[in-house]
Amino acid sequence: INEAYGVLSDARRRRLYDSRAAPTTLSRAAGPILIAARDTILRSGWRIIEDSVCSLMLEKAGLKVRVLLIERVNNSELARICRTHTELTVVLAVEIETPINLALHVIVLDLMHSKPHGKPSREALPAALQSLLAPFL
């Protein structure tokens, strides 16, 4: 209750909270898909280290992973992601422009087709990461 009051009574924190509820930069088609994917991630039981709406840093069982929620991904976007994020990164995308070139630390999941791109097979991933990705495959 105190945390909720703190958010509601601080204009800056309230704006941040409201922006999480309704990202305005997403298209009408992709927005609901990415919001549902984000909600699934938030309910996964992982500890949230960082949350900036479309980018989450999570930790569980000693494993840290960044999750990016992106409307459309292509090679130039993946190159930017690889330059910006050096940790294990999972990209949840509504649309993927193929073919794509992936770095070893990036997994791209096509939310529309439940199809992974990059990284080893599901069985080769740590159990905690398998459980995080299971709802999307």
Side-chain angles (χ1 to χ4, degrees), residues 94-109:
V94 175
E95 186 178 350
I96 299 173
E97 185 180 303
T98 57
I100 56 175
N101 302 317
L102 294 170
L104 292 176
H105 70 284
V106 176
I107 301 168
V108 176
L109 294 178

Side-chain angles (χ1 to χ4, degrees), residues 107 116 118-131 133-134 137:
I107 301 168
K119 220 39 180 155
S121 67
R122 270 178 63 173
E123 295 74 28
L125 295 174
L129 188 54
Q130 284 183 41
S131 70
L133 302 180
L137 297 174

Side-chain angles (χ1 to χ4, degrees), residues 62-124:
L63 179 65
K64 288 185 180 178
V65 63
R66 177 163 309 275
V67 176
L68 301 175
L69 299 145
I70 299 176
E71 186 171 346
R72 179 183 170 91
V73 70
N74 56 30
N75 281 326
S76 62
E77 179 66 13
L78 282 173
R80 185 195 65 74
I81 289 167
C82 291
R83 282 191 309 274
T84 308
H85 306 290
T86 56
E87 66 276 347
L88 176 60
T89 303
V90 174
V91 176
L92 300 177
V94 175
E95 186 178 350
I96 299 173
E97 185 180 303
T98 57
I100 56 175
N101 302 317
L102 294 170
L104 292 176
H105 70 284
V106 176
I107 301 168
V108 176
L109 294 178
D110 182 338
L111 291 173
M112 294 302 292
H113 301 99
S114 299
K115 180 180 176 187
H117 297 267
K119 220 39 180 155
S121 67
R122 270 178 63 173
E123 295 74 28

Side-chain angles (χ1 to χ4, degrees), residues 18-32 34-35 38 52-55 69-72 94:
D18 289 344
S19 71
R20 289 181 190 177
T24 57
T25 59
L26 301 174
S27 73
R28 293 180 111 186
L34 292 174
I35 289 169
R38 184 179 191 285
S52 58
V53 184
C54 290
S55 176
L69 299 145
I70 299 176
E71 186 171 346
R72 179 183 170 91
V94 175

